[in-house]
Amino acid sequence: MALMKILTYPDAFLKKTAKPVTVFDDALKTLVQDMAETMYEEPGIGLAATQVGEDKRLFVMDVFYNNEDPESKKTPVAVINPEIIETSGESSIEEGCLSVPEFRAEVKRSAELVLRFQDMEQEIHELRAEGLMAICIQHENDHLNGKLFIDHLPPLKRRMVQNKLKKQATK
Ligand code: NI
């Protein structure tokens, strides 16, 4: 296993719409393992393939693991070719992103959703999610469509944040 480099704003790759996964081979397994390891190392609760420069509709998540609790168990989920097929309600929490370091903001999201996705064995699952998991799924799914959480901010605020991040990036 290996840690991967996470792309940060304004890297153009983060704007890419990722391609569906069609080959479920050992290389994909390795990629999923490396992404999970990288997610725990950072730490983050989700990581999309786009963020590590892989053009694939795939993300890993674990909203339950607490790295400050030695009893906490890692339960990474690999979500391949995700599709949000139902949403309801409204919710917002302060979000952050490994690709947007040192910035957090509240983003309006759906409170509940149903996610259809494939696992490593190509089996199709439907998962009903709410709370933090629903937020995480929407955030990671956005990455696969070239969208960052700051893209949800009102235009003026978004512009301010983008300028600040661009300045930071050139330092
Ligand atoms: Ni993110």
Side-chain angles (χ1 to χ4, degrees), residues 51 96-99 139-140 143:
Q51 293 179 273
C97 178
L98 298 173
S99 294
H139 179 120
E140 299 312 327
H143 275 303

Side-chain angles (χ1 to χ4, degrees), residues 48 51 95-98 109 134-144 147-149:
Q51 293 179 273
E95 296 184 26
C97 178
L98 298 173
R109 305 274 191 189
I135 304 276
C136 180
I137 288 168
Q138 291 168 83
H139 179 120
E140 299 312 327
N141 193 60
D142 269 358
H143 275 303
L144 305 181
K147 208 166 174 185
L148 297 171
F149 78 102

Side-chain angles (χ1 to χ4, degrees), residues 42-57:
E42 288 293 332
I45 60 170
L47 183 66
T50 307
Q51 293 179 273
V52 291
E54 290 282 339
D55 188 8
K56 291 184 172 68
R57 301 194 77 77

Side-chain angles (χ1 to χ4, degrees), residues 79-118:
V79 175
I80 303 170
N81 297 328
E83 239 183 297
I84 296 171
I85 55 175
E86 253 182 73
T87 58
S88 63
E90 234 180 56
S91 167
S92 69
I93 58 163
E94 207 181 62
E95 296 184 26
C97 178
L98 298 173
S99 294
V100 187
E102 288 164 52
F103 180 74
R104 301 182 72 81
E106 268 198 29
V107 176
K108 225 184 259 176
R109 305 274 191 189
S110 300
E112 289 168 43
L113 58 82
V114 177
L115 177 74
R116 183 182 291 158
F117 67 101
Q118 284 177 287

